[in-house]
């Protein structure tokens, strides 16, 4: 029955999840994978993993699985790449026979709500551990908000990413600007870029990672919720709140100042390819700021290798400086979910492997190989990671403690959102339209997005409630 309910959801959502599926921000661990595991030794319980991770993240997961398989003799983790995050979800919800399902899946932060609201898909972490158990209790507060549900463990983070801006600290110092004070809203970004470019401190201002999801992180920084029922945290969301003054005014500020920056020459043209255009422009000192994910830090450092400069990392700005300044920062990245495939031994093995990945050796290796931040202070303060901070990426220290000290309230986390991909697609369309047409009525475009997303949510509710 569980699979038939899930299939009903998948049939309705395939168009919005696949046809409108969004790319990950630059530096995130989605991409082509290679590993397909090896034969399961006799007497072992296979823990099949379906992964969307690629590149260095996939390499680290496979290496951790190999070490886990070596250190104990009960479970055998088999890593398989199944496509991007949307494709993994679709395959999970359209596989009819439970015996064909994995025990372990990899999910992005943005899709936690979609998984949480899919009937019978996930066995919550709270079935295996308490919120007071060390494996959960040690996590930074904002990670608990993202990966938990009503204060209880739900899924578990693996790669702790963080959206914001890489900043040429030398340029900002010369201009007399504190990036942590200035880059807190789109208006603040505009004023800083204007001063830097007009003052001749840098040739260009800012280059954007043109991913549709950033707008929702900007709202989270303000604690502004765009769905009712506390962004789906206190109940299934039934209403899109984008047409309310609080949300629509914040989104207007967000779009208005970025369009103003582009029109006045303080920003690279929206849609510039991050890896091919924004990254080399920042690394070559041509622009002062490059937005994106902190998981791209290794690529940033490599890009500036020929002429290094000091780099700061500033968390994602608020959508607006109306109301209060940023209090919280929604973490991003990737994590694990235990799939309810009916095989209790395999599901227990999945939990054991999740715990293993949170141990120092595995967590430190991942952070240094990818640029992801540590999940907890004990990993951050380990000798190996501190050496990395000191000699490779000093900005990681400020970023880690900003995240740790941020509000852990759920209003600063991603919404538990059953139509996440539709939201990302709609915000990407809003970005593109506003930046391409200087005469477009931003306020009306925002209201049109509200109408579109309400129709998507109503469709989901019709199918699932």
């Amino acid at each position: 029955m569980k699979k038939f309910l899930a299939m009903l959801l998948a049939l309705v959502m395939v168009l919005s999840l696949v046809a409108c599926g969004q790319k990950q921000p630059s530096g995130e661990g989605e991409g082509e994978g290679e590993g397909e595991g090896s034969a399961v030794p006799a007497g072992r319980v296979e823990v099949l993993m379906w992964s969307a991770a690629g590149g260095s993240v996939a390499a680290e997961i496979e290496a951790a699985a190999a070490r886990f398989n070596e250190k104990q003799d009960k479970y055998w983790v088999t890593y398989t790449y199944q496509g991007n995050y949307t494709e993994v979800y679709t395959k999970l919800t359209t596989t009819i026979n439970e015996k064909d399902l994995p025990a372990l899946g990899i999910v992005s932060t943005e899709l936690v709500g979609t998984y949480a609201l899919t009937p019978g898909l996930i066995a919550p972490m709270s079935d295996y551990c308490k919120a007071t158990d060390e494996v959960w209790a040690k996590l930074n507060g904002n990670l608990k908000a993202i990966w938990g549900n009503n204060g209880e463990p739900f899924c578990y983070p693996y790669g702790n990413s963080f959206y914001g801006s890489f900043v040429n600290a030398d340029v900002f110092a010369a201009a007399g600007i504190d990036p942590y004070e200035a880059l807190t809203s789109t208006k603040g970004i505009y004023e800083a870029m204007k001063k830097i470019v007009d003052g001749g401190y840098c040739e260009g201002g800012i280059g954007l990672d043109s991913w549709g999801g950033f707008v929702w992180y900007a709202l989270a920084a303000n604690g502004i919720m765009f769905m009712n029922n506390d962004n789906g945290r206190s109940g299934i969301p039934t209403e899109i709140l984008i047409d309310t003054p609080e949300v629509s005014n914040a989104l207007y500020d967000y779009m208005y100042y970025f369009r103003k920056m582009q029109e006045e020459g303080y920003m690279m043209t929206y849609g510039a390819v991050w890896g091919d255009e924004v990254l080399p422009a920042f690394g070559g000192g041509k622009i002062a700021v490059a937005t994106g994910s902190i998981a791209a830090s290794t690529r940033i450092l490599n890009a500036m290798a020929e002429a290094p400069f000091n780099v700061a990392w500033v968390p994602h700005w608020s959508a607006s400086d109306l109301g209060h300044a940023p209090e919280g920062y929604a973490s991003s990245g990737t994590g694990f979910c235990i799939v309810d495939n009916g095989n209790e031994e395999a599901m227990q093995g999945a939990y054991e492997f999740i715990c293993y990945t949170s141990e120092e050796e595995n967590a430190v290796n991942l952070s240094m190989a990818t640029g992801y931040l540590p999940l907890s202070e004990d990993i951050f303060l380990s000798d190996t990671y501190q050496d990395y901070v000191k000699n490779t990426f000093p900005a990681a220290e400020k970023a880690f403690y900003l995240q740790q000290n941020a509000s852990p309230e759920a209003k600063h986390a991603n919404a538990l959102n059953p139509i996440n991909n539709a939201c990302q697609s709609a915000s990407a369309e809003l970005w593109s339209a506003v930046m391409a047409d200087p005469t477009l009525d931003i306020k009306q475009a925002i209201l049109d997005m509200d109408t579109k997303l309400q129709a998507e949510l109503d469709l989901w509710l019709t199918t699932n409630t």
Side-chain angles (χ1 to χ4, degrees):
M1 176 62 70
K2 175 188 73 176
K3 287 292 99 188
F4 284 111
L5 289 172
M7 280 187 71
L8 286 174
L9 169 65
L11 288 171
V12 172
M13 294 184 70
V14 157
L15 288 178
S16 61
L17 285 175
V18 179
C20 299
Q22 296 296 301
K23 71 179 181 71
Q24 285 296 101
S26 300
E28 293 296 334
E30 187 176 67
E32 294 300 321
E34 297 178 357
E36 293 297 328
S38 55
V40 181
R44 297 283 193 109
V45 175
E46 182 179 29
V47 179
L48 179 62
M49 182 196 313
W50 283 2
S51 176
S56 56
V57 179
E60 288 302 322
I61 295 175
E62 290 188 80
R67 291 190 294 270
F68 178 77
N69 291 341
E70 180 68 26
K71 71 168 291 187
Q72 49 76 48
D73 59 9
K74 182 173 183 179
Y75 305 107
W76 187 268
V77 175
T78 302
Y79 175 95
T80 62
Y81 177 77
Q82 297 292 329
N84 63 35
Y85 290 114
T86 297
E87 290 166 342
V88 170
Y89 172 80
T90 302
K91 187 170 183 178
L92 285 171
T93 54
T94 54
T95 298
I96 297 175
N97 295 320
E98 285 188 337
K99 66 181 181 62
D100 296 326
L101 285 168
L104 189 60
I106 291 186
V107 60
S108 68
T109 51
E110 295 81 16
L111 286 172
V112 169
T114 303
Y115 276 69
L117 296 173
T118 300
L121 180 59
I122 298 301
M125 281 278 290
S126 56
D127 287 354
Y128 300 88
C129 70
K130 299 177 182 178
T132 53
D133 289 351
E134 182 183 4
V135 66
W136 184 261
K138 70 178 183 178
L139 296 176
N140 281 352
N142 67 331
L143 293 175
K144 294 176 186 175
I146 292 280
W147 296 97
N149 191 9
N150 295 320
E152 294 297 320
F154 184 69
C155 297
Y156 196 84
Y158 180 60
N160 175 17
S161 192
F162 203 7
Y163 296 149
S165 304
F166 292 96
V167 172
N168 186 323
D170 297 340
V171 167
F172 273 73
I177 301 173
D178 181 345
Y180 296 100
E181 294 292 331
L183 307 184
T184 58
S185 68
T186 49
K187 181 180 179 182
I189 295 171
Y190 166 76
E191 292 172 344
M193 296 305 97
K194 178 178 174 62
K195 181 176 181 179
I196 284 171
V197 175
D198 289 354
Y201 298 104
C202 191
E203 178 182 330
I206 188 170
L208 300 184
D209 184 344
S210 52
W211 177 58
F214 287 128
V215 64
W216 312 114
Y217 282 83
L219 291 176
N222 276 115
I224 295 174
M225 292 175 277
F226 68 96
M227 290 180 153
N228 70 340
N229 294 331
D230 302 314
N231 261 357
R233 297 279 170 174
S234 61
I236 295 174
T238 59
E239 184 180 358
I240 301 296
L241 305 177
I242 291 171
D243 62 347
T244 61
E246 182 182 39
V247 183
S248 61
N249 289 341
L251 288 177
Y252 177 83
D253 271 16
Y254 187 91
M255 292 295 166
Y256 171 80
Y257 282 107
F258 274 117
R259 183 161 76 178
K260 188 174 177 66
M261 273 184 269
Q262 180 171 273
E263 290 175 348
E264 297 181 11
Y266 304 131
M267 186 180 98
M268 293 181 70
T269 301
Y270 181 76
V273 179
W274 195 89
D276 296 336
E277 299 174 84
V278 177
L279 177 61
F282 182 78
K286 301 295 185 183
I287 57 174
V289 177
T291 70
S293 161
I294 200 170
S297 59
T298 300
R299 295 175 68 186
I300 287 283
L301 295 173
N302 289 339
M304 49 182 274
E306 293 185 6
F309 49 83
N310 291 308
V311 175
W313 168 259
V314 181
H316 203 289
W317 56 92
S318 297
S320 171
D321 61 0
L322 301 173
H324 52 77
E327 297 174 358
Y329 305 110
S331 172
S332 58
T334 187
F336 295 113
C337 60
I338 300 173
V339 180
D340 188 359
N341 69 353
N343 186 332
E344 295 295 340
E345 282 192 301
M347 292 159 65
Q348 180 66 40
Y351 171 71
E352 299 293 341
F353 178 69
I354 289 171
C355 293
Y356 178 70
T357 63
S358 73
E359 294 177 4
E360 182 175 320
E361 177 186 9
N362 302 302
V364 168
N365 285 345
L366 175 76
S367 293
M368 294 191 303
T370 63
Y372 281 130
L373 288 173
L375 304 179
S376 55
E377 191 170 35
D378 61 323
I379 303 302
F380 179 81
L381 294 176
S382 67
D383 291 342
T384 304
Y385 191 77
Q386 283 297 299
D387 183 70
Y388 167 78
V389 172
K390 179 180 179 181
N391 297 306
T392 304
F393 191 38
E397 181 168 11
K398 180 78 170 180
F400 177 80
Y401 283 109
L402 282 170
Q403 188 185 73
Q404 186 188 62
N405 295 328
S407 169
E409 294 182 59
K411 68 180 181 180
H412 295 295
N414 291 328
L416 280 185
N417 179 2
I419 59 166
N420 170 75
N421 278 45
C423 288
Q424 289 191 30
S425 178
S427 60
E429 291 172 6
L430 177 67
W431 263 106
S432 297
V434 169
M435 302 306 282
D437 182 358
T439 67
L440 183 72
D441 185 334
I442 297 175
K443 291 183 179 179
Q444 186 58 53
I446 290 169
L447 295 178
D448 290 344
M449 181 170 71
D450 178 273
T451 301
K452 178 178 181 178
L453 291 179
Q454 187 64 57
E456 292 277 0
L457 183 57
D458 288 343
L459 179 62
W460 186 90
L461 290 166
T462 299
T463 306
N464 291 276
T465 59

